[in-house]
């Protein structure tokens, strides 16, 4: 049964109550347009997980026809899950801007089975699909080619901002198109879904241009090599670094897989300008004096095997940092990465490098609108109803308050989280029935097979270790010989092997005391006996694995 008769229904699959994995669906009469299909990256608690996807089981089970997917911009939290989505929904149409599609195509190379129809659209363009009309609006963000999308439905217009800010002097001159937004506001926005990332940051975010000025100053005063790290999608930051460096005679070198992959794509598509003569290979760096080198690398979040972390550990194949070198962290700290970044900073300083990393140094500005920009935006769009999106819960709450402060009636401002729906009917929005949402883990080749139960096991294995007991039993489950005890991650065997002998003896006595029994009883005895042994000996709780063999 369709949930969307006589109404437009918006379902939130990811990105509300968290930063990352953005995805929502707008449905009318059993047909759906999706906005973004993003992923998020695992924390330390996600032992061994590679990627985290939104759970779109609801779409599979209900089966609305997906008539189009809009990708607002090329960040992973907006398009990263698409290759996996295509496995469940092959052949769908994906609408986006040129650079976003270029980055998406480069990503799809790693998923050769993916079937998709990529359709390039430009800001200002309108596309009619069934009962929907999509209208694309230019916005400024920390990657070029960001777009908001107005989804016109028979029940009203829903405006999704994507990620945006109101930089009045962006590097490419592509300002957020306020006249276009004002015009949409005049026509009437029934529901606004709006970026909340910086809703609790007062004031305005300074222009990206201010970073360029700072980079020039830092580069000028640097005596040796300059290493700058930023996101491999931040084309304008990279452009400003290249411009500053080449103006003072430094050669530029890209280091790190995604940096080396993305920058030529951005240049090829016309978003990045540089002279081939100014770019050198990392292997040739040593042929230039240190004062003539700028290295632009990945690893701004302290990712363990990224270029910056290897340099910090003194393990990078080509770059050995030394006194006189300057490292510029031209990026934000994504929440959850603080410890890894801190480790990298310590390592870099230990190598003797001077590190410029703090916000007050002005080497980074955010790509998301702060509170005053959001108020300004709300006043231009004048939405009838608002759902704050793209934020942790505290950001959504702060944004809801801004929406009310700028005149949206409080009963038409909805703080939603993943798994919520809102229904737009006759010009009013109300909450719909929720659905089961969640996270799907990608681990190696498996998608969704590792869930919370497996993660709990991994957590325990990693924190307590494992103790395996091999018991030979006769046909009446009586012990034959002594048990054999093995362990991993529990004790340092070279010094404490005697504990394994003791454990074997205690376990042997306990099992022998059972006499004739059955498999379940023996297993329970092994758990009980070994758990008690390790608790009493060491205060530890290893995962106990009994292996019973009939002889
Ligand atoms: Zn985002
Ligand atoms: Zn973004």
């Amino acid at each position: 049964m369709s949930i969307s008769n006589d109404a437009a229904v918006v379902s939130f699959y990811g990105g509300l109550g968290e930063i990352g994995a953005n995805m929502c669906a707008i449905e009318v009469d059993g047909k759906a347009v999706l906005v973004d299909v993003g992923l998020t990256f695992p924390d330390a608690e996600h032992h061994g997980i590679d990627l985290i996807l939104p759970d779109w089981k609801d779409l599979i089970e209900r089966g609305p026809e997906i008539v189009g997917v809009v990708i607002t911009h090329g960040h992973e939290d907006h398009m990263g899950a698409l290759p996996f989505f295509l496995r469940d929904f092959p052949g769908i149409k994906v609408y986006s801007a040129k650079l976003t599609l270029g980055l998406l195509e480069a990503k799809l190379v790693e998923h050769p089975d993916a079937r998709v129809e990529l359709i390039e659209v430009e800001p200002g363009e309108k596309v009619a699909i069934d009962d929907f009309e999509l209208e694309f609006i230019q916005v400024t963000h920390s990657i070029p080619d960001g777009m908001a999308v107005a989804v016109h439905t028979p029940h009203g217009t829903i405006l999704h901002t994507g990620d945006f800010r109101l930089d009045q002097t962006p590097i490419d001159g592509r300002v957020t198109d306020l006249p276009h937004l004002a015009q949409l506001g005049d026509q009437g926005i029934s529901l606004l879904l709006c970026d909340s990332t910086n809703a609790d940051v007062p004031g305005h975010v300074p222009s990206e241009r201010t970073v360029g000025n700072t980079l020039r100053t830092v580069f000028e005063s640097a005596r040796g090599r300059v290493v700058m790290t930023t996101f491999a999608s931040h084309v304008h930051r990279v452009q400003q670094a290249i411009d500053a460096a080449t103006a003072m005679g430094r050669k530029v070198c890209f280091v790190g897989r995604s940096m080396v992959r993305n920058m030529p794509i951005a240049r090829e598509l016309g978003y990045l300008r540089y002279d081939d003569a100014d770019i050198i290979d990392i292997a040739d760096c040593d042929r230039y004096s240190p004062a003539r080198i700028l290295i632009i690398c990945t690893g701004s979040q302290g990712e363990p095997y990224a270029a910056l972390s290897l340099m910090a550990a003194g393990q990078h194949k080509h770059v050995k940092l030394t006194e006189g070198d300057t490292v510029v962290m031209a990026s934000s700290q994504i929440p959850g990465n603080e410890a890894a970044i801190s480790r990298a900073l310590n390592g870099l300083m230990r190598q003797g490098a001077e590190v410029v990393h703090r916000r007050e140094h002005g080497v980074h500005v955010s790509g998301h609108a702060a509170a005053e920009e959001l108020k300004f935006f709300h006043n231009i769009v004048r939405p009838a109803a608002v759902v704050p999106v793209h934020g942790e819960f505290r950001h959504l709450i702060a944004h809801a308050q801004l929406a009310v402060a700028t005149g949206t009636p409080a009963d038409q401002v909805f703080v939603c989280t993943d798994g919520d729906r809102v229904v737009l009917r006759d010009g009013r929005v109300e909450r719909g029935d929720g659905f089961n949402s969640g996270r799907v883990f990608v681990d190696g080749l498996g998608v969704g097979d590792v869930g919370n139960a497996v993660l709990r096991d991994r957590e325990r294995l990693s924190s307590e270790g494992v103790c395996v007991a091999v018991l030979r039993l006769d046909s009446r489950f009586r012990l034959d010989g002594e048990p054999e005890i093995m362990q991993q991650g529990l004790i340092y065997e070279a010094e404490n092997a005697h504990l394994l002998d003791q454990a074997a003896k205690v376990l042997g006595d306990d099992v022998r005391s059972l006499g004739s029994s059955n498999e379940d009883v023996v297993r329970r005895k092994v758990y009980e006996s070994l758990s008690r042994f390790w608790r009493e000996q060491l205060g530890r709780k290893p995962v106990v694995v009994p292996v019973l063999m009939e002889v």
Side-chain angles (χ1 to χ4, degrees):
M1 193 198 73
S2 169
I3 56 167
S4 53
N5 294 328
D6 306 320
V9 176
V10 186
S11 307
F12 300 104
Y13 294 92
L16 281 75
E18 63 185 339
I19 302 270
N22 297 286
M23 174 172 168
C24 78
I26 299 170
E27 277 175 64
V28 172
D29 281 335
K31 303 205 167 158
V33 167
L34 269 55
V35 181
D36 291 331
V37 185
L39 57 70
T40 192
F41 293 100
D43 295 333
E45 76 206 47
H46 298 110
H47 302 269
I49 298 299
D50 302 322
L51 304 168
I52 302 176
L53 315 176
D55 187 350
W56 48 71
K57 201 162 57 243
D58 170 69
L59 282 174
I60 296 174
E61 287 170 358
R62 289 190 303 105
E65 184 188 348
I66 295 174
V67 295
V69 175
V70 174
I71 302 292
T72 57
H73 63 286
H75 281 153
E76 292 290 342
D77 60 321
H78 296 261
M79 70 169 195
L82 196 64
F84 300 95
F85 190 77
L86 293 173
R87 295 181 187 178
D88 290 329
F89 299 94
I92 51 173
K93 292 186 166 76
V94 172
Y95 298 85
S96 198
K98 185 161 76 174
L99 178 66
T100 313
L101 292 182
L103 296 172
L104 184 56
E105 276 180 313
K107 175 184 276 297
L108 287 173
V109 168
E110 293 162 26
H111 301 263
D113 295 339
R115 282 204 300 118
V116 61
E117 189 177 337
L118 300 179
I119 300 163
E120 186 181 321
V121 288
E122 284 181 6
E125 200 173 328
K126 295 180 188 178
V127 177
I129 313 171
D130 290 298
D131 280 348
F132 301 96
E133 187 183 44
L134 309 182
E135 182 171 351
F136 299 94
I137 305 110
Q138 173 173 299
V139 297
T140 310
H141 184 40
S142 48
I143 184 170
D145 256 5
M147 291 193 303
V149 59
V151 181
H152 302 289
T153 78
H155 309 284
T157 296
I158 299 168
L159 175 63
H160 194 305
T161 63
D163 293 358
F164 80 104
R165 55 176 300 202
L166 301 181
D167 189 343
Q168 296 307 298
T169 53
I171 303 306
D172 58 1
R174 281 176 90 260
V175 289
T176 295
D177 192 346
L178 296 175
H180 191 173
L181 289 160
Q183 190 195 343
L184 284 166
D186 288 342
Q187 293 162 13
I189 297 294
S190 302
L191 172 60
L192 171 67
L193 313 176
C194 188
D195 180 3
S196 308
T197 315
N198 279 339
D200 63 351
V201 175
H204 297 78
V205 176
S207 172
E208 175 66 24
R209 267 177 213 281
T210 61
V211 176
N213 296 335
T214 310
L215 291 179
R216 264 194 299 282
T217 312
V218 172
F219 291 5
E220 258 160 18
S221 60
R223 289 174 292 135
R225 282 176 300 192
V226 177
V227 176
M228 184 187 94
T229 178
T230 191
F231 297 108
S233 56
H234 207 323
V235 176
H236 290 156
R237 188 74 44 86
V238 170
Q239 180 74 66
Q240 297 203 91
I242 292 175
D243 292 348
T246 53
M248 53 191 80
R250 285 182 188 263
K251 299 286 181 193
V252 178
C253 177
F254 299 125
V255 177
R257 199 170 71 105
S258 50
M259 196 64 81
V260 170
R261 182 185 69 186
N262 286 358
M263 290 311 134
I265 295 174
R267 185 198 195 197
E268 163 100 27
L269 297 176
Y271 295 86
L272 185 68
R273 295 175 318 277
Y274 54 78
D275 256 345
D276 282 326
D278 287 325
I279 306 295
I280 59 168
D281 194 88
I282 185 69
D284 296 332
C285 262
D286 289 342
R287 294 178 29 216
Y288 296 83
S289 96
R292 291 198 56 208
I293 295 290
L294 167 67
I295 293 167
I296 302 178
C297 72
T298 55
S300 66
Q301 300 305 305
E303 302 92 327
Y305 297 105
L308 192 79
S309 293
L310 293 175
M311 291 178 203
Q315 288 170 354
H316 196 278
K317 207 168 131 202
H318 296 290
V319 186
K320 300 272 175 270
L321 292 174
T322 157
E323 220 156 290
D325 290 338
T326 303
V327 177
V328 184
M329 309 280 287
S331 55
S332 60
Q333 289 196 357
I334 294 176
N337 297 339
E338 293 85 353
I341 294 171
S342 175
R343 199 175 311 126
L345 290 174
N346 285 322
L348 294 166
M349 291 183 193
R350 234 176 243 130
Q351 306 292 326
E354 186 183 331
V355 183
V356 182
H357 66 100
R358 287 187 192 286
R359 190 181 287 261
E360 54 263 34
H361 287 134
V363 289
H364 174 71
V365 295
S366 172
H368 301 271
E372 290 307 313
E373 292 166 84
L374 287 173
K375 286 189 212 164
F376 193 82
F377 183 85
H378 281 268
N379 279 330
I380 283 173
V381 173
R382 292 150 286 150
V386 175
V387 176
V389 300
H390 202 286
E392 294 175 12
F393 200 71
R394 63 199 172 98
H395 304 131
L396 304 180
I397 293 285
H399 196 172
Q401 288 163 354
L402 298 180
V404 173
T406 50
T408 305
D411 67 351
Q412 288 292 287
V413 177
F414 300 86
V415 174
C416 295
T417 52
D418 299 344
D420 285 349
R421 282 193 233 278
V422 293
V423 180
L424 168 61
R425 186 182 281 120
D426 301 330
R428 279 196 63 85
V429 174
E430 56 190 48
R431 281 185 190 273
D433 294 332
F435 60 96
N436 281 329
S437 69
R439 291 281 153 271
V440 171
F441 300 130
V442 179
D443 183 3
L445 296 176
V447 179
D449 60 320
V450 171
N452 286 327
V454 175
L455 280 192
R456 272 195 301 276
D457 283 352
R458 289 184 183 181
E459 157 96 61
R460 241 186 104 206
L461 285 167
S462 71
S463 60
E464 305 285 353
V466 59
C467 175
V468 179
V470 181
L471 289 81
R472 279 167 291 274
L473 304 165
D474 67 15
S475 57
R476 295 169 67 193
F477 291 91
R478 286 176 308 203
L479 190 61
D480 184 69
E482 285 299 311
E484 206 179 318
I485 307 283
M486 291 165 280
Q487 64 83 35
Q488 289 280 304
L490 174 59
I491 57 169
Y492 183 51
E493 243 178 84
E495 287 173 7
N496 289 308
H498 64 280
L499 284 173
L500 296 183
D501 298 338
Q502 278 179 35
K505 184 162 182 323
V506 169
L507 177 61
D509 290 347
D510 281 354
V511 173
R512 268 188 293 274
S513 74
L514 293 171
S516 305
S517 69
N518 62 48
E519 187 176 334
D520 280 351
V521 171
V522 175
R523 275 182 194 283
R524 263 204 306 279
K525 184 51 94 182
V526 174
Y527 288 125
E528 185 193 299
S529 174
L530 286 177
S531 298
R532 192 183 58 235
F533 176 82
W534 292 116
R535 191 173 59 240
E536 286 173 3
Q537 291 293 322
L538 299 169
R540 292 178 197 167
K541 293 180 286 188
V543 175
V544 172
V545 180
V547 179
L548 308 187
M549 299 188 339
E550 203 179 321
V551 291

mmCIF file of all heavy atoms in Angstrom, residues 231-251:
data_model
loop_
_atom_site.group_PDB
_atom_site.id
_atom_site.type_symbol
_atom_site.label_atom_id
_atom_site.label_comp_id
_atom_site.label_asym_id
_atom_site.label_seq_id
_atom_site.Cartn_x
_atom_site.Cartn_y
_atom_site.Cartn_z
ATOM 1 N N PHE A 231 41.080 18.207 2.974
ATOM 2 C CA PHE A 231 40.257 17.167 2.356
ATOM 3 C C PHE A 231 40.550 17.122 0.860
ATOM 4 O O PHE A 231 40.699 18.158 0.220
ATOM 5 C CB PHE A 231 38.778 17.442 2.595
ATOM 6 C CG PHE A 231 38.415 17.415 4.043
ATOM 7 C CD1 PHE A 231 38.106 18.578 4.725
ATOM 8 C CD2 PHE A 231 38.418 16.217 4.746
ATOM 9 C CE1 PHE A 231 37.786 18.558 6.074
ATOM 10 C CE2 PHE A 231 38.100 16.184 6.095
ATOM 11 C CZ PHE A 231 37.782 17.355 6.762
ATOM 12 N N ALA A 232 40.587 15.924 0.316
ATOM 13 C CA ALA A 232 40.957 15.749 -1.089
ATOM 14 C C ALA A 232 39.854 16.210 -2.035
ATOM 15 O O ALA A 232 39.986 16.089 -3.244
ATOM 16 C CB ALA A 232 41.312 14.291 -1.355
ATOM 17 N N SER A 233 38.759 16.735 -1.480
ATOM 18 C CA SER A 233 37.698 17.277 -2.321
ATOM 19 C C SER A 233 37.651 18.796 -2.231
ATOM 20 O O SER A 233 36.859 19.437 -2.902
ATOM 21 C CB SER A 233 36.350 16.711 -1.864
ATOM 22 O OG SER A 233 36.157 16.989 -0.487
ATOM 23 N N HIS A 234 38.501 19.377 -1.378
ATOM 24 C CA HIS A 234 38.426 20.825 -1.161
ATOM 25 C C HIS A 234 39.228 21.543 -2.243
ATOM 26 O O HIS A 234 40.296 22.110 -2.002
ATOM 27 C CB HIS A 234 38.926 21.191 0.234
ATOM 28 C CG HIS A 234 38.311 22.459 0.758
ATOM 29 N ND1 HIS A 234 38.043 23.539 -0.059
ATOM 30 C CD2 HIS A 234 37.890 22.810 1.991
ATOM 31 C CE1 HIS A 234 37.496 24.503 0.668
ATOM 32 N NE2 HIS A 234 37.381 24.080 1.910
ATOM 33 N N VAL A 235 38.665 21.551 -3.437
ATOM 34 C CA VAL A 235 39.362 22.046 -4.619
ATOM 35 C C VAL A 235 39.788 23.511 -4.450
ATOM 36 O O VAL A 235 40.890 23.897 -4.833
ATOM 37 C CB VAL A 235 38.453 21.877 -5.860
ATOM 38 C CG1 VAL A 235 39.105 22.472 -7.090
ATOM 39 C CG2 VAL A 235 38.138 20.404 -6.080
ATOM 40 N N HIS A 236 38.929 24.315 -3.835
ATOM 41 C CA HIS A 236 39.268 25.740 -3.712
ATOM 42 C C HIS A 236 40.397 25.978 -2.716
ATOM 43 O O HIS A 236 41.220 26.868 -2.897
ATOM 44 C CB HIS A 236 38.030 26.549 -3.308
ATOM 45 C CG HIS A 236 37.023 26.617 -4.410
ATOM 46 N ND1 HIS A 236 35.693 26.846 -4.197
ATOM 47 C CD2 HIS A 236 37.167 26.464 -5.749
ATOM 48 C CE1 HIS A 236 35.057 26.834 -5.357
ATOM 49 N NE2 HIS A 236 35.923 26.602 -6.305
ATOM 50 N N ARG A 237 40.428 25.179 -1.653
ATOM 51 C CA ARG A 237 41.529 25.289 -0.696
ATOM 52 C C ARG A 237 42.835 24.928 -1.407
ATOM 53 O O ARG A 237 43.851 25.616 -1.277
ATOM 54 C CB ARG A 237 41.251 24.339 0.477
ATOM 55 C CG ARG A 237 42.165 24.426 1.662
ATOM 56 C CD ARG A 237 41.969 25.640 2.551
ATOM 57 N NE ARG A 237 40.614 26.017 2.878
ATOM 58 C CZ ARG A 237 39.892 25.529 3.901
ATOM 59 N NH1 ARG A 237 40.400 24.618 4.697
ATOM 60 N NH2 ARG A 237 38.673 25.970 4.127
ATOM 61 N N VAL A 238 42.789 23.861 -2.182
ATOM 62 C CA VAL A 238 43.972 23.417 -2.922
ATOM 63 C C VAL A 238 44.378 24.484 -3.943
ATOM 64 O O VAL A 238 45.559 24.802 -4.098
ATOM 65 C CB VAL A 238 43.695 22.060 -3.613
ATOM 66 C CG1 VAL A 238 44.815 21.692 -4.575
ATOM 67 C CG2 VAL A 238 43.512 20.963 -2.563
ATOM 68 N N GLN A 239 43.379 25.067 -4.615
ATOM 69 C CA GLN A 239 43.674 26.118 -5.593
ATOM 70 C C GLN A 239 44.407 27.284 -4.928
ATOM 71 O O GLN A 239 45.404 27.788 -5.450
ATOM 72 C CB GLN A 239 42.363 26.638 -6.217
ATOM 73 C CG GLN A 239 42.582 27.731 -7.258
ATOM 74 C CD GLN A 239 43.125 27.161 -8.555
ATOM 75 O OE1 GLN A 239 42.448 26.404 -9.240
ATOM 76 N NE2 GLN A 239 44.366 27.500 -8.889
ATOM 77 N N GLN A 240 43.917 27.686 -3.772
ATOM 78 C CA GLN A 240 44.540 28.825 -3.085
ATOM 79 C C GLN A 240 45.960 28.484 -2.647
ATOM 80 O O GLN A 240 46.854 29.326 -2.705
ATOM 81 C CB GLN A 240 43.701 29.224 -1.872
ATOM 82 C CG GLN A 240 42.318 29.707 -2.253
ATOM 83 C CD GLN A 240 41.728 30.580 -1.177
ATOM 84 O OE1 GLN A 240 41.903 31.795 -1.201
ATOM 85 N NE2 GLN A 240 41.055 29.981 -0.221
ATOM 86 N N ALA A 241 46.166 27.243 -2.229
ATOM 87 C CA ALA A 241 47.511 26.821 -1.821
ATOM 88 C C ALA A 241 48.445 26.811 -3.029
ATOM 89 O O ALA A 241 49.583 27.280 -2.953
ATOM 90 C CB ALA A 241 47.447 25.441 -1.171
ATOM 91 N N ILE A 242 47.946 26.288 -4.157
ATOM 92 C CA ILE A 242 48.774 26.252 -5.372
ATOM 93 C C ILE A 242 49.132 27.676 -5.792
ATOM 94 O O ILE A 242 50.292 27.985 -6.091
ATOM 95 C CB ILE A 242 48.027 25.535 -6.524
ATOM 96 C CG1 ILE A 242 47.857 24.046 -6.203
ATOM 97 C CG2 ILE A 242 48.775 25.712 -7.846
ATOM 98 C CD1 ILE A 242 47.020 23.294 -7.231
ATOM 99 N N ASP A 243 48.128 28.563 -5.795
ATOM 100 C CA ASP A 243 48.374 29.946 -6.222
ATOM 101 C C ASP A 243 49.410 30.623 -5.319
ATOM 102 O O ASP A 243 50.329 31.287 -5.804
ATOM 103 C CB ASP A 243 47.063 30.748 -6.208
ATOM 104 C CG ASP A 243 46.099 30.274 -7.292
ATOM 105 O OD1 ASP A 243 46.539 29.496 -8.171
ATOM 106 O OD2 ASP A 243 44.917 30.659 -7.247
ATOM 107 N N ALA A 244 49.245 30.444 -4.004
ATOM 108 C CA ALA A 244 50.176 31.085 -3.068
ATOM 109 C C ALA A 244 51.584 30.528 -3.253
ATOM 110 O O ALA A 244 52.569 31.272 -3.266
ATOM 111 C CB ALA A 244 49.698 30.863 -1.629
ATOM 112 N N ALA A 245 51.678 29.216 -3.418
ATOM 113 C CA ALA A 245 52.996 28.577 -3.511
ATOM 114 C C ALA A 245 53.706 28.950 -4.805
ATOM 115 O O ALA A 245 54.886 29.326 -4.793
ATOM 116 C CB ALA A 245 52.837 27.057 -3.411
ATOM 117 N N THR A 246 52.987 28.857 -5.919
ATOM 118 C CA THR A 246 53.660 29.094 -7.202
ATOM 119 C C THR A 246 54.057 30.563 -7.341
ATOM 120 O O THR A 246 55.077 30.871 -7.948
ATOM 121 C CB THR A 246 52.765 28.665 -8.387
ATOM 122 O OG1 THR A 246 51.490 29.307 -8.269
ATOM 123 C CG2 THR A 246 52.567 27.165 -8.397
ATOM 124 N N ALA A 247 53.274 31.464 -6.730
ATOM 125 C CA ALA A 247 53.618 32.887 -6.799
ATOM 126 C C ALA A 247 54.964 33.164 -6.136
ATOM 127 O O ALA A 247 55.645 34.126 -6.472
ATOM 128 C CB ALA A 247 52.523 33.728 -6.139
ATOM 129 N N MET A 248 55.352 32.311 -5.175
ATOM 130 C CA MET A 248 56.653 32.530 -4.534
ATOM 131 C C MET A 248 57.659 31.471 -4.952
ATOM 132 O O MET A 248 58.647 31.230 -4.258
ATOM 133 C CB MET A 248 56.499 32.629 -3.011
ATOM 134 C CG MET A 248 55.774 31.490 -2.363
ATOM 135 S SD MET A 248 55.346 31.849 -0.618
ATOM 136 C CE MET A 248 53.887 32.854 -0.753
ATOM 137 N N GLY A 249 57.398 30.839 -6.088
ATOM 138 C CA GLY A 249 58.399 29.959 -6.690
ATOM 139 C C GLY A 249 58.469 28.564 -6.105
ATOM 140 O O GLY A 249 59.433 27.836 -6.333
ATOM 141 N N ARG A 250 57.446 28.160 -5.343
ATOM 142 C CA ARG A 250 57.449 26.779 -4.842
ATOM 143 C C ARG A 250 56.799 25.854 -5.867
ATOM 144 O O ARG A 250 55.831 26.216 -6.518
ATOM 145 C CB ARG A 250 56.667 26.679 -3.521
ATOM 146 C CG ARG A 250 57.409 27.249 -2.318
ATOM 147 C CD ARG A 250 56.592 27.067 -1.036
ATOM 148 N NE ARG A 250 57.212 27.782 0.075
ATOM 149 C CZ ARG A 250 58.017 27.206 0.974
ATOM 150 N NH1 ARG A 250 58.281 25.914 0.900
ATOM 151 N NH2 ARG A 250 58.544 27.922 1.948
ATOM 152 N N LYS A 251 57.350 24.653 -6.001
ATOM 153 C CA LYS A 251 56.730 23.610 -6.812
ATOM 154 C C LYS A 251 55.727 22.861 -5.944
ATOM 155 O O LYS A 251 55.875 22.799 -4.720
ATOM 156 C CB LYS A 251 57.785 22.627 -7.334
ATOM 157 C CG LYS A 251 58.834 23.271 -8.226
ATOM 158 C CD LYS A 251 58.264 23.605 -9.586
ATOM 159 C CE LYS A 251 59.332 24.240 -10.482
ATOM 160 N NZ LYS A 251 58.737 24.852 -11.677
#
